[in-house]
PDB file of all heavy atoms in Angstrom:
ATOM      1  N   TYR A   1      43.873  92.677  21.303  1.00  0.00           N
ATOM      2  CA  TYR A   1      45.107  92.698  20.523  1.00  0.00           C
ATOM      3  C   TYR A   1      45.854  93.984  20.970  1.00  0.00           C
ATOM      4  O   TYR A   1      45.301  95.024  21.013  1.00  0.00           O
ATOM      5  CB  TYR A   1      44.756  92.795  18.993  1.00  0.00           C
ATOM      6  CG  TYR A   1      44.043  91.646  18.441  1.00  0.00           C
ATOM      7  CD1 TYR A   1      42.658  91.544  18.486  1.00  0.00           C
ATOM      8  CD2 TYR A   1      44.726  90.559  17.820  1.00  0.00           C
ATOM      9  CE1 TYR A   1      41.966  90.475  17.966  1.00  0.00           C
ATOM     10  CE2 TYR A   1      44.049  89.471  17.290  1.00  0.00           C
ATOM     11  CZ  TYR A   1      42.686  89.440  17.364  1.00  0.00           C
ATOM     12  OH  TYR A   1      41.995  88.376  16.859  1.00  0.00           O
ATOM     13  N   GLY A   2      47.159  93.782  21.256  1.00  0.00           N
ATOM     14  CA  GLY A   2      47.989  94.927  21.718  1.00  0.00           C
ATOM     15  C   GLY A   2      49.094  95.215  20.703  1.00  0.00           C
ATOM     16  O   GLY A   2      49.305  94.501  19.755  1.00  0.00           O
ATOM     17  N   GLU A   3      49.781  96.341  21.008  1.00  0.00           N
ATOM     18  CA  GLU A   3      50.933  96.787  20.205  1.00  0.00           C
ATOM     19  C   GLU A   3      50.577  96.932  18.709  1.00  0.00           C
ATOM     20  O   GLU A   3      51.350  96.495  17.823  1.00  0.00           O
ATOM     21  CB  GLU A   3      52.115  95.800  20.373  1.00  0.00           C
ATOM     22  CG  GLU A   3      52.585  95.688  21.823  1.00  0.00           C
ATOM     23  CD  GLU A   3      53.689  94.717  22.036  1.00  0.00           C
ATOM     24  OE1 GLU A   3      54.168  94.148  21.002  1.00  0.00           O
ATOM     25  OE2 GLU A   3      54.045  94.441  23.205  1.00  0.00           O
ATOM     26  N   LEU A   4      49.393  97.555  18.450  1.00  0.00           N
ATOM     27  CA  LEU A   4      48.926  97.675  17.094  1.00  0.00           C
ATOM     28  C   LEU A   4      49.175  99.052  16.498  1.00  0.00           C
ATOM     29  O   LEU A   4      49.081 100.061  17.160  1.00  0.00           O
ATOM     30  CB  LEU A   4      47.407  97.371  17.035  1.00  0.00           C
ATOM     31  CG  LEU A   4      46.935  95.994  17.536  1.00  0.00           C
ATOM     32  CD1 LEU A   4      45.379  95.964  17.496  1.00  0.00           C
ATOM     33  CD2 LEU A   4      47.540  94.856  16.736  1.00  0.00           C
ATOM     34  N   LEU A   5      49.550  99.044  15.191  1.00  0.00           N
ATOM     35  CA  LEU A   5      49.604 100.289  14.393  1.00  0.00           C
ATOM     36  C   LEU A   5      48.285 100.362  13.598  1.00  0.00           C
ATOM     37  O   LEU A   5      47.506  99.409  13.558  1.00  0.00           O
ATOM     38  CB  LEU A   5      50.783 100.247  13.459  1.00  0.00           C
ATOM     39  CG  LEU A   5      52.196 100.281  14.139  1.00  0.00           C
ATOM     40  CD1 LEU A   5      53.253 100.085  13.108  1.00  0.00           C
ATOM     41  CD2 LEU A   5      52.410 101.591  14.879  1.00  0.00           C
ATOM     42  N   PRO A   6      48.025 101.536  12.979  1.00  0.00           N
ATOM     43  CA  PRO A   6      46.751 101.661  12.244  1.00  0.00           C
ATOM     44  C   PRO A   6      46.516 100.514  11.164  1.00  0.00           C
ATOM     45  O   PRO A   6      45.422 100.057  11.080  1.00  0.00           O
ATOM     46  CB  PRO A   6      46.893 102.996  11.513  1.00  0.00           C
ATOM     47  CG  PRO A   6      47.778 103.784  12.495  1.00  0.00           C
ATOM     48  CD  PRO A   6      48.728 102.796  13.038  1.00  0.00           C
ATOM     49  N   ASP A   7      47.600 100.143  10.466  1.00  0.00           N
ATOM     50  CA  ASP A   7      47.396  99.109   9.444  1.00  0.00           C
ATOM     51  C   ASP A   7      47.115  97.737  10.075  1.00  0.00           C
ATOM     52  O   ASP A   7      46.427  96.922   9.489  1.00  0.00           O
ATOM     53  CB  ASP A   7      48.611  99.029   8.528  1.00  0.00           C
ATOM     54  CG  ASP A   7      49.946  98.874   9.207  1.00  0.00           C
ATOM     55  OD1 ASP A   7      50.007  99.243  10.390  1.00  0.00           O
ATOM     56  OD2 ASP A   7      50.885  98.373   8.623  1.00  0.00           O
ATOM     57  N   ASP A   8      47.691  97.549  11.319  1.00  0.00           N
ATOM     58  CA  ASP A   8      47.397  96.289  12.028  1.00  0.00           C
ATOM     59  C   ASP A   8      45.940  96.193  12.393  1.00  0.00           C
ATOM     60  O   ASP A   8      45.260  95.176  12.182  1.00  0.00           O
ATOM     61  CB  ASP A   8      48.217  96.198  13.300  1.00  0.00           C
ATOM     62  CG  ASP A   8      49.712  96.120  13.013  1.00  0.00           C
ATOM     63  OD1 ASP A   8      50.115  95.517  12.018  1.00  0.00           O
ATOM     64  OD2 ASP A   8      50.495  96.738  13.819  1.00  0.00           O
ATOM     65  N   LYS A   9      45.375  97.280  12.897  1.00  0.00           N
ATOM     66  CA  LYS A   9      43.970  97.319  13.273  1.00  0.00           C
ATOM     67  C   LYS A   9      43.105  97.083  12.028  1.00  0.00           C
ATOM     68  O   LYS A   9      42.143  96.301  12.105  1.00  0.00           O
ATOM     69  CB  LYS A   9      43.591  98.694  13.922  1.00  0.00           C
ATOM     70  CG  LYS A   9      44.189  98.949  15.229  1.00  0.00           C
ATOM     71  CD  LYS A   9      43.627 100.287  15.864  1.00  0.00           C
ATOM     72  CE  LYS A   9      44.216 100.538  17.230  1.00  0.00           C
ATOM     73  NZ  LYS A   9      43.665 101.777  17.785  1.00  0.00           N
ATOM     74  N   GLU A  10      43.423  97.767  10.952  1.00  0.00           N
ATOM     75  CA  GLU A  10      42.640  97.625   9.749  1.00  0.00           C
ATOM     76  C   GLU A  10      42.696  96.188   9.194  1.00  0.00           C
ATOM     77  O   GLU A  10      41.680  95.608   8.736  1.00  0.00           O
ATOM     78  CB  GLU A  10      43.176  98.580   8.685  1.00  0.00           C
ATOM     79  CG  GLU A  10      42.275  98.788   7.500  1.00  0.00           C
ATOM     80  CD  GLU A  10      42.683  97.957   6.299  1.00  0.00           C
ATOM     81  OE1 GLU A  10      43.797  97.368   6.325  1.00  0.00           O
ATOM     82  OE2 GLU A  10      41.937  97.909   5.274  1.00  0.00           O
ATOM     83  N   LYS A  11      43.860  95.536   9.262  1.00  0.00           N
ATOM     84  CA  LYS A  11      43.993  94.155   8.820  1.00  0.00           C
ATOM     85  C   LYS A  11      43.173  93.165   9.651  1.00  0.00           C
ATOM     86  O   LYS A  11      42.576  92.232   9.128  1.00  0.00           O
ATOM     87  CB  LYS A  11      45.470  93.713   8.813  1.00  0.00           C
ATOM     88  CG  LYS A  11      46.311  94.344   7.654  1.00  0.00           C
ATOM     89  CD  LYS A  11      47.791  94.042   7.875  1.00  0.00           C
ATOM     90  CE  LYS A  11      48.634  94.746   6.795  1.00  0.00           C
ATOM     91  NZ  LYS A  11      50.093  94.560   7.066  1.00  0.00           N
ATOM     92  N   ILE A  12      43.138  93.407  10.964  1.00  0.00           N
ATOM     93  CA  ILE A  12      42.380  92.565  11.879  1.00  0.00           C
ATOM     94  C   ILE A  12      40.878  92.686  11.530  1.00  0.00           C
ATOM     95  O   ILE A  12      40.130  91.683  11.399  1.00  0.00           O
ATOM     96  CB  ILE A  12      42.618  92.934  13.329  1.00  0.00           C
ATOM     97  CG1 ILE A  12      44.051  92.515  13.727  1.00  0.00           C
ATOM     98  CG2 ILE A  12      41.598  92.247  14.275  1.00  0.00           C
ATOM     99  CD1 ILE A  12      44.475  93.065  15.083  1.00  0.00           C
ATOM    100  N   ILE A  13      40.415  93.957  11.368  1.00  0.00           N
ATOM    101  CA  ILE A  13      38.986  94.166  10.981  1.00  0.00           C
ATOM    102  C   ILE A  13      38.679  93.447   9.655  1.00  0.00           C
ATOM    103  O   ILE A  13      37.646  92.780   9.513  1.00  0.00           O
ATOM    104  CB  ILE A  13      38.701  95.666  10.834  1.00  0.00           C
ATOM    105  CG1 ILE A  13      38.909  96.405  12.194  1.00  0.00           C
ATOM    106  CG2 ILE A  13      37.247  95.905  10.299  1.00  0.00           C
ATOM    107  CD1 ILE A  13      37.841  96.150  13.210  1.00  0.00           C
ATOM    108  N   LYS A  14      39.582  93.606   8.667  1.00  0.00           N
ATOM    109  CA  LYS A  14      39.364  93.031   7.386  1.00  0.00           C
ATOM    110  C   LYS A  14      39.290  91.515   7.429  1.00  0.00           C
ATOM    111  O   LYS A  14      38.490  90.878   6.778  1.00  0.00           O
ATOM    112  CB  LYS A  14      40.510  93.455   6.400  1.00  0.00           C
ATOM    113  CG  LYS A  14      40.272  93.035   4.940  1.00  0.00           C
ATOM    114  CD  LYS A  14      41.425  93.598   4.081  1.00  0.00           C
ATOM    115  CE  LYS A  14      41.182  93.218   2.599  1.00  0.00           C
ATOM    116  NZ  LYS A  14      42.207  93.714   1.767  1.00  0.00           N
ATOM    117  N   SER A  15      40.155  90.918   8.297  1.00  0.00           N
ATOM    118  CA  SER A  15      40.128  89.429   8.376  1.00  0.00           C
ATOM    119  C   SER A  15      38.787  88.940   8.907  1.00  0.00           C
ATOM    120  O   SER A  15      38.348  87.839   8.494  1.00  0.00           O
ATOM    121  CB  SER A  15      41.269  89.008   9.298  1.00  0.00           C
ATOM    122  OG  SER A  15      41.000  89.356  10.700  1.00  0.00           O
ATOM    123  N   TYR A  16      38.145  89.686   9.757  1.00  0.00           N
ATOM    124  CA  TYR A  16      36.825  89.294  10.306  1.00  0.00           C
ATOM    125  C   TYR A  16      35.719  89.472   9.249  1.00  0.00           C
ATOM    126  O   TYR A  16      34.874  88.632   9.053  1.00  0.00           O
ATOM    127  CB  TYR A  16      36.507  90.078  11.553  1.00  0.00           C
ATOM    128  CG  TYR A  16      37.112  89.506  12.830  1.00  0.00           C
ATOM    129  CD1 TYR A  16      38.451  89.746  13.079  1.00  0.00           C
ATOM    130  CD2 TYR A  16      36.400  88.801  13.757  1.00  0.00           C
ATOM    131  CE1 TYR A  16      39.093  89.298  14.226  1.00  0.00           C
ATOM    132  CE2 TYR A  16      37.019  88.307  14.929  1.00  0.00           C
ATOM    133  CZ  TYR A  16      38.353  88.583  15.164  1.00  0.00           C
ATOM    134  OH  TYR A  16      38.972  88.117  16.276  1.00  0.00           O
ATOM    135  N   THR A  17      35.778  90.648   8.569  1.00  0.00           N
ATOM    136  CA  THR A  17      34.702  90.923   7.549  1.00  0.00           C
ATOM    137  C   THR A  17      34.817  89.989   6.371  1.00  0.00           C
ATOM    138  O   THR A  17      33.809  89.607   5.784  1.00  0.00           O
ATOM    139  CB  THR A  17      34.829  92.349   7.020  1.00  0.00           C
ATOM    140  OG1 THR A  17      36.157  92.625   6.515  1.00  0.00           O
ATOM    141  CG2 THR A  17      34.553  93.365   8.127  1.00  0.00           C
ATOM    142  N   GLU A  18      36.018  89.554   6.022  1.00  0.00           N
ATOM    143  CA  GLU A  18      36.209  88.593   4.898  1.00  0.00           C
ATOM    144  C   GLU A  18      35.633  87.214   5.251  1.00  0.00           C
ATOM    145  O   GLU A  18      35.370  86.404   4.349  1.00  0.00           O
ATOM    146  CB  GLU A  18      37.695  88.461   4.554  1.00  0.00           C
ATOM    147  CG  GLU A  18      38.243  89.680   3.768  1.00  0.00           C
ATOM    148  CD  GLU A  18      39.675  89.583   3.421  1.00  0.00           C
ATOM    149  OE1 GLU A  18      40.379  88.773   4.020  1.00  0.00           O
ATOM    150  OE2 GLU A  18      40.125  90.315   2.518  1.00  0.00           O
ATOM    151  N   LYS A  19      35.490  86.961   6.537  1.00  0.00           N
ATOM    152  CA  LYS A  19      34.884  85.694   6.983  1.00  0.00           C
ATOM    153  C   LYS A  19      33.363  85.765   7.029  1.00  0.00           C
ATOM    154  O   LYS A  19      32.659  84.876   7.482  1.00  0.00           O
ATOM    155  CB  LYS A  19      35.399  85.289   8.387  1.00  0.00           C
ATOM    156  CG  LYS A  19      36.871  84.946   8.397  1.00  0.00           C
ATOM    157  CD  LYS A  19      37.337  84.686   9.870  1.00  0.00           C
ATOM    158  CE  LYS A  19      38.818  84.433   9.917  1.00  0.00           C
ATOM    159  NZ  LYS A  19      39.297  84.413  11.334  1.00  0.00           N
ATOM    160  N   GLY A  20      32.839  86.938   6.574  1.00  0.00           N
ATOM    161  CA  GLY A  20      31.433  87.165   6.571  1.00  0.00           C
ATOM    162  C   GLY A  20      30.843  87.673   7.854  1.00  0.00           C
ATOM    163  O   GLY A  20      29.612  87.650   8.062  1.00  0.00           O
ATOM    164  N   LYS A  21      31.701  88.068   8.787  1.00  0.00           N
ATOM    165  CA  LYS A  21      31.233  88.554  10.093  1.00  0.00           C
ATOM    166  C   LYS A  21      30.808  90.027  10.016  1.00  0.00           C
ATOM    167  O   LYS A  21      31.451  90.804   9.288  1.00  0.00           O
ATOM    168  CB  LYS A  21      32.329  88.423  11.150  1.00  0.00           C
ATOM    169  CG  LYS A  21      32.848  86.973  11.339  1.00  0.00           C
ATOM    170  CD  LYS A  21      31.766  86.056  11.869  1.00  0.00           C
ATOM    171  CE  LYS A  21      32.292  84.670  12.146  1.00  0.00           C
ATOM    172  NZ  LYS A  21      31.245  83.713  12.590  1.00  0.00           N
ATOM    173  N   LYS A  22      29.750  90.372  10.699  1.00  0.00           N
ATOM    174  CA  LYS A  22      29.336  91.764  10.790  1.00  0.00           C
ATOM    175  C   LYS A  22      30.029  92.408  12.013  1.00  0.00           C
ATOM    176  O   LYS A  22      29.848  91.930  13.121  1.00  0.00           O
ATOM    177  CB  LYS A  22      27.836  91.900  10.908  1.00  0.00           C
ATOM    178  CG  LYS A  22      27.095  91.598   9.621  1.00  0.00           C
ATOM    179  CD  LYS A  22      25.636  92.010   9.704  1.00  0.00           C
ATOM    180  CE  LYS A  22      24.913  91.795   8.361  1.00  0.00           C
ATOM    181  NZ  LYS A  22      23.539  92.208   8.417  1.00  0.00           N
ATOM    182  N   VAL A  23      30.806  93.400  11.725  1.00  0.00           N
ATOM    183  CA  VAL A  23      31.591  93.985  12.810  1.00  0.00           C
ATOM    184  C   VAL A  23      31.409  95.529  12.889  1.00  0.00           C
ATOM    185  O   VAL A  23      31.232  96.153  11.891  1.00  0.00           O
ATOM    186  CB  VAL A  23      33.128  93.675  12.667  1.00  0.00           C
ATOM    187  CG1 VAL A  23      33.347  92.179  12.574  1.00  0.00           C
ATOM    188  CG2 VAL A  23      33.720  94.387  11.420  1.00  0.00           C
ATOM    189  N   MET A  24      31.477  96.016  14.142  1.00  0.00           N
ATOM    190  CA  MET A  24      31.423  97.437  14.391  1.00  0.00           C
ATOM    191  C   MET A  24      32.743  97.803  15.015  1.00  0.00           C
ATOM    192  O   MET A  24      33.261  97.119  15.870  1.00  0.00           O
ATOM    193  CB  MET A  24      30.295  97.811  15.341  1.00  0.00           C
ATOM    194  CG  MET A  24      30.177  99.310  15.607  1.00  0.00           C
ATOM    195  SD  MET A  24      28.985  99.730  16.936  1.00  0.00           S
ATOM    196  CE  MET A  24      27.456  99.196  16.205  1.00  0.00           C
ATOM    197  N   MET A  25      33.329  98.940  14.515  1.00  0.00           N
ATOM    198  CA  MET A  25      34.564  99.445  15.134  1.00  0.00           C
ATOM    199  C   MET A  25      34.224 100.763  15.849  1.00  0.00           C
ATOM    200  O   MET A  25      33.578 101.626  15.213  1.00  0.00           O
ATOM    201  CB  MET A  25      35.621  99.717  14.076  1.00  0.00           C
ATOM    202  CG  MET A  25      36.863 100.408  14.524  1.00  0.00           C
ATOM    203  SD  MET A  25      37.799  99.434  15.749  1.00  0.00           S
ATOM    204  CE  MET A  25      39.000 100.661  16.287  1.00  0.00           C
ATOM    205  N   ILE A  26      34.668 100.894  17.088  1.00  0.00           N
ATOM    206  CA  ILE A  26      34.438 102.162  17.817  1.00  0.00           C
ATOM    207  C   ILE A  26      35.799 102.747  18.201  1.00  0.00           C
ATOM    208  O   ILE A  26      36.596 102.044  18.857  1.00  0.00           O
ATOM    209  CB  ILE A  26      33.593 101.853  19.058  1.00  0.00           C
ATOM    210  CG1 ILE A  26      32.274 101.214  18.684  1.00  0.00           C
ATOM    211  CG2 ILE A  26      33.338 103.200  19.826  1.00  0.00           C
ATOM    212  CD1 ILE A  26      31.443 100.756  19.842  1.00  0.00           C
TER     213      ILE A  26
END
């Protein structure tokens, strides 16, 4: 994903965790 602001990154992470996915952010 490109052209992201901090809230964009956070929303993308949230969308995956809400689907029950285990995610790591580095």
